[in-house]
Amino acid sequence: MIYFLLNLKFIQLSEPFKIFEFDFWKRPDSHGEMQLCIKATNDGQVHAVVSWWILQLDREGTIFYSTAPRWSSLQINKSDEDWCDHWKQCVWFVPGKGIPISNNQEVHLHAVHDETSISYNLKTESRTQVRMHGVKGGDMPLMLSSERVAIYGDSEWRSLMLIALRNALKGRVDPLCVVADDSIFLTLLLAHLSETSNVISLFPGLRAKGAQYLQAVADANGFSMDRVQVLEKKQSLLSMLDTHHKKVDLLIGEPFYCGTEGMLPWQNLRFWKERTLLSSVLSEDALILPCKGILKACALSLPDLWKSRRCLDKIEGFDHSVVNTTLGACGELPAPQEGSCLPYFVWQSGKYKKLSSAFTVMEFDCSKPICPSSGRTQVEFVEPGICHGFALWIDWVMDSENSIVLSTGPDERYWKQGVKLLANPVAVGIPGSSSPSECHQALIEASFEPSNGELVIRHVFS
């Protein structure tokens, strides 16, 4: 599994050590083995082995490039910037509850690689516990993205979801709950919180794999799946026969749809559309979670990202402009063309600076059927600088009192934002500044069309 190892709670139990070395000047070996004896530097429980690459970029061995996490004591890249935080590391989890270890105790690691995979055998000096596992994608019946796993591991996110569901279930007797998206977490949480509830999960992306995973969790934890059902059918085909002639009391989603994590944030408004398709089976007092989505935005200085998306013209005498559309070029587009919104983790986009506070563009009321939506707002800049574009995201409101809000903005590293880059950067300043060349505010307009799921953004600086 591949993960970002940022701000996680863990204890480093050993110093970094080399497992394999591959010499690209030679034909690579199709098989290799390594026996290592690792001395522990802390007391703890071995739950995982984290690995990364160090690349030698010259033959003399003077230039190196590392994908190590920032907390590693073996630092190759010397920089005060966060530019390396986007590298992912490989995490091999020790099956079971891990292996207990004491400071200065030795752990024996047997590593084997073939052409496409690495496998480990880990044991302590006592040889009382041996764990074997191969790092192969096909071994996992259910694979979630590293960001999704990090979300499920985030205690604050779990706490908010727990509070939202407890409040939603309060006072409801034998509720029928439908999980409209691919959230295994919500399915299990509903079954756990209400012993009288019946849960139907649609799993439009996970399908059979989601059902298999639920069964595996049930078997491992000794609870019954009698009240949990996975229906592999489209929402538009769901009928009262599927609900055993009972209306749905709670329709819920994170929202999360497997395979769409790399898309624009408003693609998750699919939940709103599917809530509309399920209108015929909803009870009159059915509770919809999330209750609404709030489209928010922020003006940003993004010099590195903007440069990487500049239009190509002539390079070494060859005209490359034909690929601008294919590559999604935004910078220096000829008027009146405008670049489209692109999905990015803003924190991975190089240097960036917020030039305005976050502001609301429009809201989507999920308690009502889907409809065209639009909004406009005037934003004033709070920091001087060069504006390269706007970041847009959706905050999901999980209760009718607007007290539980799950943000997916730039400060939250697990979600991508939609980035609208300007064709030409604009110098901006705070109100009251005397520079005539600076803009002090911008008018932002947006419209959402449910028939194609597109969100159109327009902006005017003044």
Side-chain angles (χ1 to χ4, degrees), residues 21 33 56 70 99 193 195 268 302 383 449:
E21 181 175 306
E33 294 189 34
Q56 178 181 321
R70 190 193 303 184
I99 301 176
L193 290 177
E195 294 182 355
N268 282 329
L302 294 158
E383 290 285 345
E449 176 51 54

Side-chain angles (χ1 to χ4, degrees), residues 266 295 297 336-341 359-362 372-379 389-390 392 419-423 441-449 454-462:
W266 39 93
L295 180 67
Q337 296 182 44
E338 282 194 20
S340 58
C341 280
F359 54 91
T360 297
V361 181
M362 62 177 163
S373 306
S374 61
R376 59 183 292 169
T377 187
Q378 193 89 14
V379 56
F390 298 89
L392 299 103
V419 178
K420 176 74 172 179
L421 292 174
L422 306 179
Q441 58 186 8
L443 176 66
I444 307 296
E445 295 182 327
S447 59
F448 172 70
E449 176 51 54
E454 289 190 3
L455 187 76
V456 178
I457 308 292
R458 295 172 292 274
H459 49 81
V460 178
F461 288 85
S462 59

Side-chain angles (χ1 to χ4, degrees), residues 148-186:
R148 181 56 41 183
V149 174
I151 290 170
Y152 290 159
D154 186 277
S155 58
E156 182 178 354
W157 183 89
R158 292 198 313 271
S159 177
L160 289 175
M161 279 294 188
L162 182 62
I163 294 171
L165 256 63
R166 276 180 174 159
N167 293 342
L169 291 169
K170 193 176 296 181
R172 295 182 180 269
V173 181
D174 300 330
L176 175 59
C177 310
V178 171
V179 179
D181 61 356
D182 284 313
S183 180
I184 289 175
F185 176 83
L186 290 181

Side-chain angles (χ1 to χ4, degrees), residues 311 324-325 329-330 332-340 420-424:
C311 287
N324 285 330
T325 301
C330 304
E332 297 181 346
L333 275 175
Q337 296 182 44
E338 282 194 20
S340 58
K420 176 74 172 179
L421 292 174
L422 306 179
N424 294 289

